[in-house]
Amino acid sequence: MASWSQLEAIKTAKVLMVGAGGIGCELLKTLALSGFQDIHIIDMDTIEVSNLNRQFLFRQSHVGQSKAKVARDAVLKFRPHISITPHHANVKDPEFNVDFFKDFNVVLNGLDNLDARRHVNRLCLAAGVPLVESGTTGFLGQVTVHVKGKTECYECQPKPTPKTYPVCTITSTPSKFVHCIVWAKDLLFAKLFGDKNQENDLNVHPSAGTNSTNPTEDVFERRADEDPEQYGRKIYDHVFGYNIQVALANEETWKNRNKPRPVYVRDVLPDKLIQQNGSLEKNCVTEESAVSAMSSLGLKNPQDVWSLAENSRIFLEALRLFIEKRQKDFGNLAFDKDDQLAVEFVTAAANVRASSFGISLHSLFEAKGIAGNIVHAVATTNAVIAGLIVIEAIKVLQGDFQNYRMTYCLEHPSRKMLLMPVQPFEANKSCYVCSETPLLLEINTRTSKLRDFVEKIVKNKLGMNLPLIMHGSTLIFEAGDDLEEDVAANYALNLDKALAELPPPVTSGTVLTVEDLRQELSCNINIKHREEFDEEKEPDGMVLSGWVTPTEKDTRVVSNGESTSTAQLAEKSDEVETAPDRSGTKRKLSEMSEMMDNIHDTKPCSSLDIGDQLNPQEVEDNGDDDDIVVLDESPGPSKRKKLQ
Amino acid sequence: MAAESKTKYDRQLRIWGEQGQAALEKASICLLNCGPTGSEALKNLVLGGIGSITVVDGSKVEAYDLGNNFMLDEESLGQSKAKCVCSFLKELNDAVKAKFVEESPDTLIETNPSFFAQFTLVIATQLLENSLLKLDKICRQANVILVVARSYGLTGLVRISLKEHNVIESKPDHFLDDLRLHNPWPELKQFAKTIDLSVTDPVVHKHTPYIVILVRLAEKWADAHDGCLPSTRQEKKEFKDLIKAHMLNLDEDNYKEAIEASFKVSTPRGISSHLCQIINDAAVQVDSTSPDFWVLVAALKVKSFLLLVFKVPPLISFVL
């Protein structure tokens, strides 16, 4: 198939694959069949049952084992004489530093989260190694090529970070089901089963400021002798009844909104059914592994939308089962989409809350998808994308830069093409990652603390994992475990100070330098003081700008969605973060840039839904024979230039 | 569906739902020649939970197959290729029924055409044209879908051959907004007449609902054009200009909406010839074996007018 020079390039290439999942399995297979002989794979995950519909190198018997290792073993079976080195580790670990990356001729990403992708992007830039990026969601996919000095880097077009919601929307005025899920998962579940010392907005009252000994604090504490069922009913009444009633008292909030309805156990579940619940339980023998409220209540189908009464029963039963079977994990439990009982609890809680607020209820299947950031996925798209990755990789190895392409895999043909190749653009001159342009941060320097800056800007927006921050020649903060005690103590003090109170003070006009040594990324930020921020539009209370801001339609990332670990990063003190939520808009096939809306955001579909697919409106056949689609510039501030 | 398979298929259930999954699990596939292309195709179907597969291939595994087909390894040498591919696929998903026939597909096509009638779909790879032509005839007669695939290096082709394929969208992606502007009903016409388009008060002017603007201006146009509505590109552009000419100033949202929606005035009346063809098709004489699609069309035909479902879109400038 390949020409002689291609074969040579392939035979001698040393390739790094990051990710051995959906794309990774197909990619490893294709690389091996194409003649590659020296492949390294990094993947920190283990195999799960839900992988088996597409990650074909794995079998049922491999569940729980390392993906990187099992993938390697499977491929060596049909190509025994090639070298595949698995690394069962996190690509962000220090061992994978710039020197490690420098060893490779090309890096191929098959990741499922933005954070790792940015990290790899920076290391590839620092090491001067070309990167082939990719992503898939359902039937959509894409492959992009990033070569330093020749094309855009992965971050030249900023990718949106996961959607966050204002605190008040979650705690007081939900209007969509996803708000209820976030409440159930990050507030209620966390409050009951998670770290007790974490700040939790569950008891936020509009009339905060009363200095009573806060009797509500005791509601969530269960006394050792308190009957689990009674405790459950107490919690139910508190969060769905009492809290709503208190919220209703604040007239302002409800002036332009529909008022919620408080819900109490006695209204939804008449007494005798509760007793029946008890006797049902005694008849069921639940083994450790099959702890499920659904099974003990006989609700078999996760795609059914339960009634308020059924949801309430599930809520109470799940809570009871948590107490009776999982007590020892209390204080440590984080929501895990593969934890059946947790999913049941969160579904039920979200539904009861939704019912209160007049929001439509959802099935467990749907709720699980939202709460767990589940991305729909199928084998064929991954196979196609893997093939495209290898094609681009071979071009990269030969330095054939005229022929590099970004390729988009559509669900329905546009202009009779299912795969749309696009020429890469030149690097964005104002990309802070590859072009070292300074950024601008508007922030209230008198009220915002250094800690807020570090968490929201440096770590979240800039994606730096081990940052250090300099103000002129003074180090005002450094992350790391290996700091000396007095130095670390000093930084801890700094974190709690407002920016304007730091030594030396950070005020309007200050330039801060933020660095991550591991990523070899350094960035200057100009600080500008601003008093007020819009709570809805700017929930962070600070605004970072200076590189190309994407227009709504400009984002063209198709990725495998976030793994649950990143969704749990939400321990920000005044914000609750959640799964990106798919906007569900339909797009015209004729508009390239709209097509690739960030499908990073997903919404699971109900059993009858075919999901949020590109709308197959009439496909215009205007007889174009172009095999390269020239992107129409979406109206954005930058003029991106094609590669010459 | 058992709980374990629900977990295993979770990610794809979120694409095609239980109905899609059921359709997959009911289907039986026949693969002719299990070279790399055919094997890869089956791998994807098997992973998805296809009902059953039958692999037809008369060849044995040779050295040149190794490293070319990831389902074969050194232990397969000398064995029936179909058998080896089948057993690999069985491992991939043991819920799939897998059978193999150690026979050349050309021979089967020649000597046992009725073999193919049992399948939902046949995937034919590495076959030459004369075999394909015969196979196509056989499949059409037996109402079996035929998919032909060939691949050479970096090029390839896939071709589908089937008599008829009908789909009923139980949940269409969107509803077409149909405001009946090309043929407004009497009460709408009356209402539109009560509104004075040329009112001078700018606030009232910018609150005239855009539908009224369109109804009135369409009428005005028709009066000047022999009762016809704008139909050519040029006419549609002129119609837009007509609307623009009525704007008092540039920020009138209602007129902007009217311009954006102006094409709705040009919606052709009646039913398209394409639709007529379907309604008048012989298949509309339904019987108990007819697919649901034709039953629905037959029902539509019985009605003397088409029932169109339409949604009234929100109007930015509508004032009650």
Side-chain angles (χ1 to χ4, degrees):
Chain A
M1 156 201 106
S3 73
W4 192 248
S5 63
Q6 282 172 336
L7 283 173
E8 270 308 297
I10 291 171
K11 249 186 3 197
T12 55
K14 189 164 175 188
V15 173
L16 174 64
M17 278 180 43
V18 188
I23 294 178
C25 284
E26 295 284 346
L27 181 56
L28 186 60
K29 169 258 287 173
T30 306
L31 284 170
L33 289 174
S34 301
F36 284 82
Q37 297 183 336
D38 187 355
I39 306 169
H40 282 241
I41 317 175
I42 304 176
D43 192 310
M44 62 187 216
D45 281 339
T46 54
I47 297 162
E48 297 174 9
V49 174
S50 61
N51 298 151
L52 301 176
N53 80 322
R54 64 203 182 282
Q55 299 174 26
F56 73 98
L57 297 176
F58 312 141
R59 303 279 174 272
Q60 180 73 44
S61 55
H62 295 134
V63 172
Q65 296 181 38
S66 150
K67 287 190 179 183
K69 294 187 181 152
V70 176
R72 184 263 319 253
D73 292 342
V75 173
L76 283 179
K77 275 232 204 87
F78 63 88
R79 281 272 176 149
H81 304 299
I82 63 178
S83 166
I84 306 177
T85 313
H87 302 266
H88 180 41
N90 189 334
V91 69
K92 296 199 288 201
D93 288 348
E95 62 183 296
F96 306 119
N97 55 15
V98 180
D99 287 330
F100 175 85
F101 273 77
K102 275 201 179 126
D103 253 353
F104 296 98
N105 302 111
V106 68
V107 174
L108 311 175
N109 268 356
L111 287 165
D112 64 357
N113 69 90
L114 183 62
D115 196 45
R117 285 173 150 117
R118 293 167 82 183
H119 185 88
V120 172
N121 179 51
R122 291 161 187 200
L123 281 162
C124 286
L125 285 168
V129 178
L131 169 65
V132 180
E133 246 292 345
S134 64
T136 63
T137 303
F139 292 127
L140 300 169
Q142 72 186 26
V143 174
T144 56
V145 179
H146 306 280
V147 178
K148 185 174 183 180
K150 285 242 170 327
T151 71
E152 290 181 325
C153 80
Y154 178 71
E155 294 176 86
C156 277
Q157 291 297 306
K159 311 291 186 283
T161 43
K163 188 156 168 80
T164 58
Y165 301 96
V167 184
C168 49
T169 308
I170 304 299
T171 57
S172 322
T173 53
S175 55
K176 297 195 218 167
F177 187 68
V178 60
H179 303 151
C180 302
I181 288 278
V182 173
W183 176 89
K185 189 175 80 157
D186 295 332
L187 292 185
L188 186 60
F189 186 91
K191 182 81 184 178
L192 287 169
F193 312 120
D195 185 357
K196 297 253 184 282
N197 295 324
Q198 276 265 339
E199 268 183 48
N200 191 303
D201 290 307
L202 206 57
N203 295 321
V204 167
H205 294 310
S207 52
T210 54
N211 59 356
S212 61
T213 44
N214 211 348
T216 52
E217 207 62 73
D218 294 333
V219 170
F220 290 96
E221 284 296 321
R222 187 179 80 91
R223 298 184 315 275
D225 61 337
E226 194 172 355
D227 172 43
E229 287 189 27
Q230 204 185 340
Y231 172 74
R233 292 197 287 273
K234 181 177 75 171
I235 297 292
Y236 186 107
D237 282 347
H238 181 77
V239 300
F240 300 123
Y242 175 74
N243 275 357
I244 304 290
Q245 216 126 34
V246 171
L248 279 171
N250 186 343
E251 292 287 331
E252 250 322 292
T253 318
W254 310 109
K255 234 169 41 163
N256 294 324
R257 291 187 176 97
N258 289 331
K259 291 186 173 171
R261 201 177 46 102
V263 180
Y264 291 95
V265 177
R266 62 175 178 267
D267 303 322
V268 180
L269 296 176
D271 267 353
K272 68 174 172 178
L273 284 172
I274 297 177
Q275 276 158 18
Q276 259 180 22
N277 243 1
S279 62
L280 243 178
E281 182 266 323
K282 289 176 182 75
N283 288 334
C284 293
V285 178
T286 46
E287 316 145 1
E288 270 312 324
S289 55
V291 176
S292 154
M294 277 173 72
S295 21
S296 71
L297 291 174
L299 286 170
K300 298 216 171 68
N301 189 355
Q303 305 228 7
D304 284 337
V305 179
W306 303 320
S307 63
L308 174 59
E310 287 167 331
N311 275 297
S312 305
R313 276 193 216 114
I314 293 274
F315 178 89
L316 293 168
E317 179 65 1
L319 185 45
R320 185 187 72 78
L321 284 171
F322 261 112
I323 296 169
E324 299 206 350
K325 310 274 178 193
R326 311 270 295 269
Q327 177 90 61
K328 58 177 163 42
D329 298 324
F330 282 19
N332 279 327
L333 272 179
F335 176 80
D336 177 356
K337 68 182 187 295
D338 296 310
D339 179 344
Q340 176 67 15
L341 199 58
V343 173
E344 290 172 356
F345 179 81
V346 166
T347 303
N351 273 329
V352 177
R353 184 168 175 81
S355 168
S356 230
F357 283 85
I359 300 171
S360 51
L361 306 186
H362 286 63
S363 69
L364 182 111
F365 183 78
E366 293 165 327
K368 175 176 168 177
I370 301 172
N373 305 339
I374 296 181
V375 180
H376 47 293
V378 74
T380 43
T381 319
N382 288 334
V384 170
I385 291 304
L388 292 168
I389 294 172
V390 174
I391 290 176
E392 293 304 316
I394 295 174
K395 293 178 196 169
V396 162
L397 290 170
Q398 295 191 284
D400 185 12
F401 63 86
Q402 300 278 26
N403 287 318
Y404 295 162
R405 294 290 177 265
M406 321 289 239
T407 314
Y408 299 91
C409 178
L410 310 174
E411 188 196 342
H412 299 283
S414 164
R415 301 190 220 177
K416 294 198 166 173
M417 297 201 295
L418 210 49
L419 296 178
M420 306 200 92
V422 174
Q423 272 182 299
F425 289 97
E426 278 182 3
N428 180 353
K429 292 205 173 30
S430 54
C431 171
Y432 72 91
V433 177
C434 68
S435 307
E436 297 187 6
T437 311
L439 297 170
L440 173 69
L441 178 67
E442 291 170 274
I443 188 171
N444 187 322
T445 56
R446 279 198 296 271
T447 57
S448 300
K449 300 197 177 129
L450 180 62
R451 177 193 310 282
D452 301 328
F453 173 72
V454 171
E455 293 301 321
K456 292 180 187 176
I457 300 297
V458 181
K459 288 190 177 165
N460 189 16
K461 286 269 181 329
L462 298 183
M464 294 188 180
N465 294 309
L466 273 191
L468 60 87
I469 306 176
M470 307 206 39
H471 180 4
S473 53
T474 316
L475 260 174
I476 55 175
F477 178 74
E478 246 185 292
D481 298 323
D482 54 349
L483 301 167
E484 284 166 25
E485 270 190 35
D486 55 339
V487 173
N490 186 31
Y491 293 144
L493 280 178
N494 280 355
L495 283 177
D496 273 327
K497 294 202 170 104
L499 292 180
E501 290 162 17
L502 285 167
V506 172
T507 54
S508 244
T510 304
V511 179
L512 289 177
T513 303
V514 186
E515 283 185 22
D516 184 318
L517 293 176
R518 216 183 291 146
Q519 295 173 352
E520 295 207 359
L521 179 63
S522 172
C523 182
N524 287 331
I525 305 182
N526 295 320
I527 304 289
K528 184 170 153 193
H529 174 83
R530 201 172 105 188
E531 277 294 326
E532 305 240 325
F533 291 86
D534 185 317
E535 208 190 88
E536 295 266 340
K537 297 195 191 126
E538 303 163 326
D540 278 338
M542 50 189 86
V543 179
L544 188 66
S545 56
W547 76 111
V548 176
T549 21
T551 57
E552 262 174 14
K553 300 161 191 180
D554 199 22
T555 51
R556 293 185 290 129
V557 180
V558 171
S559 64
N560 268 350
E562 300 289 304
S563 56
T564 43
S565 51
T566 52
Q568 274 150 26
L569 280 178
E571 30 79 28
K572 280 121 183 115
S573 50
D574 43 358
E575 207 173 79
V576 188
E577 198 172 87
T578 188
D581 116 325
R582 195 156 72 185
S583 54
T585 50
K586 306 302 175 190
R587 302 158 214 122
K588 289 213 194 64
L589 286 176
S590 50
E591 288 167 328
M592 257 299 289
S593 51
E594 275 190 285
M595 260 190 283
M596 294 294 143
D597 267 37
N598 189 18
I599 316 188
H600 196 71
D601 308 323
T602 60
K603 180 190 80 152
C605 35
S606 70
S607 52
L608 294 178
D609 235 324
I610 47 175
D612 184 21
Q613 309 300 319
L614 288 177
N615 184 8
Q617 290 187 18
E618 319 139 41
V619 175
E620 279 176 41
D621 177 20
N622 52 16
D624 271 14
D625 288 315
D626 300 336
D627 62 348
I628 296 175
V629 174
V630 174
L631 251 195
D632 282 315
E633 265 304 318
S634 46
S638 78
K639 280 281 163 262
R640 290 150 65 215
K641 285 164 48 191
K642 297 267 169 47
L643 276 194
Q644 293 314 307
Chain B
M1 206 184 297
E4 316 86 62
S5 60
K6 278 196 164 138
T7 314
K8 179 163 66 164
Y9 297 139
D10 181 88
R11 302 298 184 267
Q12 66 199 39
L13 282 173
R14 290 174 193 276
I15 299 179
W16 51 63
E18 297 224 352
Q19 282 183 331
Q21 190 64 34
L24 261 177
E25 291 177 4
K26 271 207 320 246
S28 72
I29 309 287
C30 175
L31 173 67
L32 302 178
N33 288 321
C34 52
T37 308
S39 305
E40 175 100 39
L42 276 193
K43 160 228 203 219
N44 294 326
L45 288 168
V46 164
L47 282 173
I50 199 83
S52 77
I53 57 167
T54 303
V55 182
V56 179
D57 191 314
S59 61
K60 304 273 189 207
V61 179
E62 314 259 3
Y64 62 72
D65 289 318
L66 300 182
N68 198 20
N69 186 331
F70 61 88
M71 300 190 187
L72 308 172
D73 58 35
E74 272 163 338
E75 289 168 9
S76 333
L77 276 172
Q79 296 188 51
S80 150
K81 208 188 306 180
K83 173 162 176 275
C84 296
V85 165
C86 252
S87 61
F88 180 95
L89 289 170
K90 234 354 227 167
E91 267 183 41
L92 215 44
N93 188 345
D94 56 19
V96 173
K97 301 194 198 38
K99 283 210 307 269
F100 70 93
V101 175
E102 196 178 345
E103 173 89 78
S104 141
D106 293 312
T107 312
L108 214 50
I109 290 169
E110 247 351 281
T111 61
N112 190 6
S114 57
F115 170 78
F116 298 99
Q118 59 181 300
F119 301 108
T120 318
L121 187 150
V122 173
I123 302 175
T125 64
Q126 300 175 329
L127 284 182
L128 294 179
E129 179 147 333
N130 50 358
S131 293
L132 285 173
L133 287 170
K134 291 187 194 138
L135 181 60
D136 189 36
K137 275 210 177 71
I138 295 168
C139 288
R140 288 206 165 219
Q141 224 169 11
N143 262 321
V144 173
I145 305 172
L146 175 62
V147 175
V148 176
R150 293 203 71 103
S151 97
Y152 305 96
L154 290 178
T155 52
L157 72 85
V158 176
R159 225 178 130 173
I160 306 176
S161 175
L162 75 161
K163 278 204 293 209
E164 184 180 278
H165 189 62
N166 40 60
V167 177
I168 301 173
E169 284 263 37
S170 58
K171 277 197 181 182
D173 281 342
H174 68 289
F175 286 109
L176 268 175
D177 294 333
D178 183 344
L179 301 170
R180 309 260 88 198
L181 289 174
H182 57 282
N183 189 14
W185 63 96
E187 289 84 351
L188 179 59
K189 273 202 188 136
Q190 278 302 106
F191 174 74
K193 283 211 169 75
T194 64
I195 301 201
D196 180 8
L197 277 191
S198 48
V199 66
T200 46
D201 180 334
V203 174
V204 178
H205 192 265
K206 75 193 256 189
H207 280 93
T208 309
Y210 81 85
I211 292 184
V212 171
I213 298 174
L214 286 176
V215 169
R216 294 288 298 280
L217 291 183
E219 218 182 325
K220 190 168 171 181
W221 175 283
D223 287 342
H225 288 80
D226 263 342
C228 294
L229 290 169
S231 54
T232 68
R233 224 170 152 182
Q234 177 62 15
E235 286 179 347
K236 289 181 193 172
K237 184 176 176 308
E238 285 172 20
F239 185 63
K240 279 192 186 168
D241 290 337
L242 177 62
I243 302 173
K244 257 193 220 142
H246 279 76
M247 283 175 90
L248 275 186
N249 65 60
L250 288 172
D251 77 338
E252 293 189 311
D253 281 333
N254 55 340
Y255 278 88
K256 286 192 199 153
E257 278 180 295
I259 293 172
E260 261 178 45
S262 62
F263 68 93
K264 291 183 182 172
V265 157
S266 311
T267 315
R269 305 175 197 228
I271 307 165
S272 75
S273 61
H274 177 68
L275 274 175
C276 276
Q277 245 184 327
I278 297 180
I279 295 178
N280 291 323
D281 191 300
V284 168
Q285 312 299 331
V286 293
D287 58 40
S288 58
T289 63
S290 302
D292 289 350
F293 177 85
W294 288 109
V295 175
L296 282 177
V297 176
L300 273 179
K301 189 172 182 182
V302 166
K303 289 268 186 202
S304 53
F305 53 89
L306 281 173
L307 198 64
L308 281 166
V309 183
F310 62 94
K311 250 169 80 168
V312 178
L315 305 174
I316 299 175
S317 54
F318 192 76
V319 173
L320 277 163

